[in-house]
Amino acid sequence: MPAQTSQNVLRADARQNRERILTAAREAYALHGIDVPMATIARRAGVGVATLYRRFPTRAALVSESFAEQLAHCVAALYEGLEDPDPWRGFCSVIEQVCLMQATERGFTQAFLAQFPEHTEYAEERTRAEQALARLVGRAKASGQLRQDFDVNDIILVVLANCGATTGAGEEAAAASRRLVAYLLQSFRAGPAAGPGPLPSPVQLDLDRIHGR
Amino acid sequence: MPAQTSQNVLRADARQNRERILTAAREAYALHGIDVPMATIARRAGVGVATLYRRFPTRAALVSESFAEQLAHCVAALYEGLEDPDPWRGFCSVIEQVCLMQATERGFTQAFLAQFPEHTEYAEERTRAEQALARLVGRAKASGQLRQDFDVNDIILVVLANCGATTGAGEEAAAASRRLVAYLLQSFRAGPAAGPGPLPSPVQLDLDRIHGR
DNA sequence: GGCTAAATGGAGAGTGCCATCCGTTTACCC
DNA sequence: GGGTAAACGGATGGCACTCTCCATTTAGCC
């Protein structure tokens, strides 16, 4: 974590405005997606555009900050999953939670993808997360519950696929995500021992809405 | 098919320009994605913007026309799959071909999604395709090779998921698609009889590139 | 209460794209 | 070869968004 001295020196009104901007951004993202104009967020927050830009010099910075909490949740889920006594359950829980977050929080995926590669500042945390992921996978394989030819990169594959499936609105997206993840996890499971389990209910996806998004 | 009298009456130079525009559009889409400015396509085709707009009044019209061939291929694949003596093989082949098309032809997915809902003109073909899809699924279920709780909407789910997974460049996208589809098809297979088959090789996905796309 | 640096917000310059208008050019028919 | 309608393309107005400048306000300290 870098020295954030300026954060504490922030004047009271400035700090309050900063919070209002973040709140407004989260609301706006949820409503209109990540591409909402900066001016809209500023108006919603009841501040001028300049104030927004002074606090968050780039759009990416604002996005990152806005979803920091959700990202932290994902990271936490990762380490918790790693400590689950049942490696397979831990593995599933991580994937499920990350995917659900993607489905629930609109724009989160972009934040997720934008966050890490950005600054060297995060490089350390990133490698740590990657190692944890590798361990999660290794553990599940070692226990014989995850198929041997599973690759760590397949997790990225799941995340991206889930991102595509959740290009839609609210509850529908969550349902689509649940079903997709259920299908995939079943494939990841090793051995023919596990027959097809029950699935979450199917989803009627409205292509028109997705196209118009 | 509607009366397209104007098509044949098109003057020679106009017809040639029309083709050049379509070629330029396909190239531009492949290179820069679907959001490339109309002016860029016009320049590439060596025509004025006005000419482009005269031929293709809306962006959607241009996109649709540009990918008409690929779309026809998909439709053909559907009807061929339906006539495969092995229902399961037919089912798989349809999904595989559509997904491969998505992975190979950048922008195709948007064209695919944009095409049908648009005009009433296509409504008929659309319903016909949907019925064919339903039959494809029904047949595969009846043969006992497709799990009973599979839903027709799951095909849309696959298409969308695949769309997400292929948000990348060229060969990488195709590899990701193959692997995802292999995983999914395995889940769709009924009964514990079929153990995990071999998978296409894993893919290292470059998140930076995807984010910057 | 008054001073000062921090913070503010609106106006506006700059950019990129869409879509149309209209004077000029060109293919086609006779 | 000449007439005519079709086709052309650059210029242009309009719009939406980004990002900065600067005159004004305000919090915090004495």
Side-chain angles (χ1 to χ4, degrees):
Chain A
M1 221 170 282
Q4 281 282 64
T5 53
S6 66
Q7 173 108 340
N8 302 332
V9 180
L10 222 54
R11 225 169 67 178
D13 53 344
R15 196 162 354 112
Q16 190 191 351
N17 277 340
R18 191 173 185 281
E19 283 313 310
R20 293 172 68 172
I21 290 171
L22 282 174
T23 304
R26 281 189 273 258
E27 288 172 6
Y29 291 155
L31 245 67
H32 311 290
I34 204 103
D35 285 330
V36 60
M38 297 295 246
T40 304
I41 297 174
R43 198 168 343 108
R44 198 183 193 93
V47 304
V49 200
T51 302
L52 198 165
Y53 276 99
R54 198 170 312 109
R55 268 337 131 220
F56 308 96
T58 74
R59 160 178 253 105
L62 178 56
V63 171
S64 285
E65 287 278 348
S66 300
F67 288 103
E69 202 180 309
Q70 283 87 339
L71 192 77
H73 176 88
C74 284
V75 174
L78 171 58
Y79 293 113
E80 274 170 32
L82 203 46
E83 288 183 13
D84 194 312
D86 180 342
W88 174 250
R89 196 175 54 191
F91 175 83
C92 291
S93 124
V94 172
I95 289 188
E96 279 162 357
Q97 286 196 60
V98 173
C99 287
L100 188 64
M101 188 65 83
Q102 278 189 289
T104 313
E105 298 286 324
R106 192 170 179 179
F108 172 71
T109 309
Q110 276 125 310
F112 184 84
L113 295 177
Q115 180 86 331
F116 282 131
E118 201 170 348
H119 296 307
T120 17
E121 173 187 335
Y122 291 112
E124 191 193 333
E125 187 174 353
R126 185 188 184 171
T127 17
R128 205 141 36 86
E130 279 171 355
Q131 286 168 356
L133 220 47
R135 255 180 295 144
L136 188 77
V137 169
R139 234 168 52 108
K141 274 190 195 174
S143 81
Q145 294 166 289
L146 178 61
R147 57 191 295 166
Q148 290 301 311
D149 54 359
F150 187 89
D151 189 279
V152 187
N153 286 297
D154 285 341
I155 292 189
I156 310 290
L157 193 64
V158 174
V159 169
L160 289 180
N162 186 66
C163 174
T166 53
T167 314
E171 191 41 46
E172 192 182 277
S177 171
R178 272 194 297 271
R179 196 159 165 105
L180 179 69
V181 169
Y183 272 134
L184 285 173
L185 285 180
Q186 190 195 306
S187 290
F188 297 159
R189 180 101 203 195
L199 284 174
S201 46
V203 215
Q204 168 104 38
L205 292 161
D206 184 347
L207 288 183
D208 295 20
R209 201 183 326 150
I210 290 166
H211 167 238
R213 82 118 141 183
Chain B
M1 221 171 282
Q4 281 283 69
T5 54
S6 63
Q7 173 109 337
N8 302 333
V9 180
L10 220 55
R11 227 169 65 177
D13 54 342
R15 199 165 350 115
Q16 191 190 350
N17 277 340
R18 190 172 185 282
E19 283 312 311
R20 293 172 68 174
I21 290 172
L22 282 174
T23 305
R26 281 188 274 258
E27 287 172 7
Y29 292 155
L31 245 68
H32 312 289
I34 204 103
D35 285 330
V36 61
M38 298 294 247
T40 303
I41 297 174
R43 201 171 336 111
R44 196 185 194 93
V47 304
V49 202
T51 302
L52 199 165
Y53 276 101
R54 199 172 309 110
R55 266 340 130 218
F56 307 96
T58 73
R59 158 176 255 106
L62 179 56
V63 171
S64 284
E65 287 278 347
S66 299
F67 289 102
E69 203 179 307
Q70 283 86 339
L71 192 77
H73 177 89
C74 283
V75 173
L78 171 58
Y79 292 114
E80 275 169 32
L82 202 47
E83 288 182 12
D84 194 313
D86 180 343
W88 173 250
R89 198 176 54 192
F91 174 82
C92 291
S93 125
V94 172
I95 288 187
E96 279 161 359
Q97 287 196 59
V98 172
C99 286
L100 187 64
M101 187 66 82
Q102 277 189 290
T104 312
E105 297 287 324
R106 191 169 178 180
F108 172 71
T109 310
Q110 276 126 311
F112 183 86
L113 295 178
Q115 179 87 328
F116 282 131
E118 200 171 348
H119 295 308
T120 14
E121 172 187 335
Y122 292 111
E124 191 192 332
E125 188 174 355
R126 184 187 185 173
T127 16
R128 205 141 35 87
E130 278 171 354
Q131 285 168 357
L133 220 49
R135 255 179 296 144
L136 189 78
V137 169
R139 233 169 52 109
K141 274 191 195 174
S143 81
Q145 292 165 290
L146 178 61
R147 58 193 295 168
Q148 290 302 312
D149 52 0
F150 187 88
D151 189 280
V152 188
N153 286 297
D154 285 341
I155 291 188
I156 309 290
L157 193 64
V158 174
V159 169
L160 289 181
N162 185 65
C163 174
T166 53
T167 313
E171 191 41 46
E172 191 181 279
S177 170
R178 272 194 298 272
R179 197 160 164 102
L180 178 69
V181 168
Y183 273 134
L184 284 173
L185 285 180
Q186 191 195 306
S187 290
F188 297 159
R189 180 99 200 195
L199 284 175
S201 46
V203 215
Q204 169 106 38
L205 292 160
D206 184 348
L207 288 182
D208 296 20
R209 199 179 332 145
I210 290 167
H211 167 237
R213 80 122 145 183

